[in-house]
Amino acid sequence: MIVIKSIPITWTAERFSLGHIADYKPYNFVDGEGVRCSLYVSGCPFACRGCYNKAAQDFSYGYPYTKELEDQIIEDLNAEYCQGLSLLGGEPFLNTQVTLSLCKRVRAEFGDTKDIWAWSGYTYQELFKSSPDKIELLKLIDVLVDGRFIEAKKDLNLAFRGSSNQKIIDVKKSIQADQLMLWNNGNYI
């Protein structure tokens, strides 16, 4: 594992991402609300202690993202019972070559009928201070589970997150209100 000592908002996808995918799971029930298709990207320099997906911290882990996989994800999302797409990792905001392309296609194909959730070690505020590609991705998603996983704050009873410092944010409402708005008015504990 490479130890990175720079500030996370200076990290860029073009510097880190190899465009690799750790896993893709269609039709699961654990990565957000409803039935979802989950894409796990490879690579995350946050390296949170106690991370549940340590193998995916390596940017070379897994296999390359392909047009065929993207086509499969779109086809899977087309199922009427599928509520949306989940982006996990690894770090989705340091793999924007993959996640930005996919999210743009989801919006082009489905508009707002399918929601997009993303999990990130970045906080909502850090993302808006970071690179244009991260801000563009943030504006395409509906729900952000933000912040580093802190092992000392780990709680297995929490909905959709691993540690109590992480927030579940309604991104569209937050952008519209120009302030952080919690998803489901914060009733997700």
Side-chain angles (χ1 to χ4, degrees):
M1 172 62 62
I2 300 169
V3 177
I4 299 163
K5 296 184 178 187
S6 60
I7 301 168
I9 59 172
T10 65
W11 300 345
T12 62
E14 61 188 23
R15 178 176 165 212
F16 287 101
S17 178
L18 299 175
H20 281 203
I21 302 305
D23 201 2
Y24 168 63
K25 295 185 181 197
Y27 311 134
N28 76 68
F29 302 88
V30 297
D31 296 333
E33 193 176 54
V35 177
R36 315 195 60 79
C37 293
S38 298
L39 183 69
Y40 300 81
V41 295
S42 295
C44 179
F46 285 110
C48 299
R49 186 178 182 158
C51 173
Y52 83 105
N53 201 4
K54 196 165 181 65
Q57 291 178 0
D58 184 342
F59 283 91
S60 63
Y61 180 77
Y63 53 93
Y65 184 72
T66 63
K67 172 82 167 67
E68 290 74 26
L69 176 58
E70 186 170 294
D71 291 344
Q72 183 64 55
I73 294 169
I74 296 298
E75 184 179 326
D76 293 342
L77 283 168
N78 202 37
E80 189 175 314
Y81 56 82
C82 187
Q83 183 169 327
L85 172 70
S86 293
L87 303 172
L88 308 100
E91 175 53 60
F93 288 87
L94 285 174
N95 282 279
T96 52
Q97 300 96 322
V98 171
T99 53
L100 196 50
S101 167
L102 177 59
C103 289
K104 285 179 179 177
R105 186 158 172 207
V106 169
R107 291 299 180 221
E109 301 262 349
F110 302 107
D112 290 328
T113 62
K114 305 289 181 181
D115 62 18
I116 303 173
W117 286 47
W119 278 254
S120 178
Y122 286 101
T123 64
Y124 178 80
Q125 293 84 355
E126 286 174 325
L127 287 170
F128 271 110
K129 293 177 186 170
S130 194
S131 55
D133 59 324
K134 292 185 189 92
I135 296 169
E136 187 177 6
L137 178 60
L138 185 62
K139 290 179 177 178
L140 288 169
I141 66 173
D142 297 286
V143 176
L144 174 71
V145 181
D146 87 337
R148 282 71 144 172
F149 171 75
I150 298 176
E151 194 169 33
K153 295 184 176 186
K154 178 180 176 180
D155 185 343
L156 298 177
N157 295 314
L158 298 172
F160 308 126
R161 59 206 168 114
S163 59
S164 60
N165 61 297
Q166 296 170 311
K167 298 177 295 300
I168 306 176
I169 298 165
D170 186 320
V171 176
K172 290 187 175 179
K173 281 185 182 175
S174 296
I175 291 172
Q176 192 171 31
D178 197 24
Q179 66 178 334
L180 196 146
M181 305 287 288
L182 296 177
W183 175 73
N184 204 20
N185 294 322
N187 295 319
Y188 51 74
I189 298 175

